[in-house]
Amino acid sequence: MPPAPAAPGPVGLGAPLDLAGPLDRGRRELVLRRGRVSVVVARRSVVAVTVLVVLTLVVAVLTLATGDFPVAPADVLRALTGRAEGRTATVVLGWRLPRVVLGVVLGAALGVAGAMFQSLSRNPLGSPDIIGFSNGAYAGAVLVLLSGGTGYLTVAAGAVGGGLVTALVVYLLAWRRGVQGFRLIVVGIGVSAVISSFTTWLVLQAEVRLAVAATVWGAGTLNGVGWDQVRPAAGLGAVLLLGVVAVSRGMHALELGDDAGAALGVGVERTRLAVVVVGVALTAVATALTGPIAFVALAAPQLARRVLRAPGTTLVGSAAMGAFLLVACDLVAQRAFAPQQLPVGVVTVSLGGAYLVWLLVHEARSR
């Protein structure tokens, strides 16, 4: 007799997914089967992620079409398909497209990093912005820049190092027979304040030229990026995606609690450490290239959870929401005060600050 199909596995980025198998259609869920493996996917999640992707593409086309040299949307599509030549191809493909692609890549990376830390802390305030990992990555990158380091990989190494050192300090200070989410956040806020003061001192002690460059870069900006910056960021992001897949199952299991996760065979502290390392690396990849872009990692997972009506953190939804938020904010940063272009971090801080106030009020009322 042929073996009976396995029970549906847990939904997550690490769950095996093969669309080639037969498809069971239910009212609210899709069951994707392939051999002995089956995955349950909520219909609303599929629809919501698809809508977010479409909205991101619409914003991307608007970004490519508008500016000092307007391009008709039809010409944008022709350029993207390789049928445009001359100035249109140069403007769309050479000048504007790298910025849009980098916005999508880094927005998705920040969204996933935020989802991982919120899952780890089981708290909507658990974000690399709040816990201090973003400031640690920024401090490491500034140290490299002020020491004369150049090149994306060199700065990225400094950012990763700074983020990991910060994560180690926060983790050790928050350790009390384990790490609790609320304690992690409180300790992270304190460490973040100390690191921010240290970074400010570094900038004040630097030469004027380097200090100005570090200050402008520290606002978080996509201005002036090209394909030379996009390629290494996309490559590192793809490598880290494998790390996300590897830790996603254990991460989702720990959302049920340490005891439940251990009963399911998950190494609790080992999984926590792996989530921290991968999440810090994702944050550092973005910080090393654009500076700290605040609040995307905080807002994207929570907005995705509300849109998808998911019971827990959703990595795919957070990635889609993060990409949409960053490219939309960058469009505002470029066009709202044209011809003056703002750093995208200014827009994300303005909108994210309002969202943080709402989140704090909502959390206080729910207790």
Side-chain angles (χ1 to χ4, degrees), residues 236-258:
L236 289 174
V239 172
L240 291 173
L241 179 62
L242 299 177
V244 175
V245 172
V247 303
S248 62
R249 286 181 179 273
M251 183 190 76
H252 286 301
L254 290 183
E255 289 181 358
L256 303 174
D258 292 356

Side-chain angles (χ1 to χ4, degrees), residues 45-255:
S45 297
V46 175
V47 173
V49 170
T50 302
V51 170
L52 285 172
V53 171
V54 171
L55 289 176
T56 303
L57 292 176
V58 171
V59 174
V61 172
L62 287 175
T63 304
L64 295 174
T66 56
D68 294 336
F69 180 74
V71 180
D75 292 333
V76 170
L77 296 178
R78 276 193 285 270
L80 294 176
T81 55
R83 292 181 293 152
E85 297 179 355
R87 187 163 55 174
T88 298
T90 300
V91 170
V92 173
L93 302 180
W95 296 351
R96 296 176 181 168
L97 186 59
R99 181 169 185 156
V100 171
V101 173
L102 192 63
V104 171
V105 171
L106 298 188
L110 290 173
V112 171
M116 295 178 77
F117 286 119
Q118 289 178 14
S119 173
L120 179 71
S121 63
R122 297 197 287 275
N123 192 305
L125 294 177
S127 164
D129 311 304
I130 304 298
I131 301 176
F133 299 159
S134 294
N135 280 341
Y138 175 49
V142 168
L143 276 173
V144 171
L145 286 172
L146 298 184
S147 300
T150 58
Y152 173 69
L153 294 179
T154 303
V155 178
V160 171
L164 290 177
V165 169
T166 303
L168 178 62
V169 171
V170 172
Y171 201 84
L172 291 177
L173 291 177
W175 177 270
R176 292 293 185 277
R177 294 191 299 270
V179 176
Q180 300 299 321
F182 183 74
R183 188 188 301 125
L184 183 73
I185 293 171
V186 172
V187 171
I189 291 173
V191 172
S192 177
V194 173
I195 293 175
S196 181
S197 300
F198 173 68
T199 306
T200 302
W201 178 81
L202 283 177
V203 173
L204 290 175
Q205 298 299 314
E207 298 178 7
V208 174
R209 177 180 59 84
L210 293 176
V212 170
T215 301
V216 173
W217 178 75
T221 179
L222 291 169
N223 296 341
V225 300
W227 289 113
D228 290 342
Q229 290 82 23
V230 174
R231 293 186 186 97
L236 289 174
V239 172
L240 291 173
L241 179 62
L242 299 177
V244 175
V245 172
V247 303
S248 62
R249 286 181 179 273
M251 183 190 76
H252 286 301
L254 290 183
E255 289 181 358

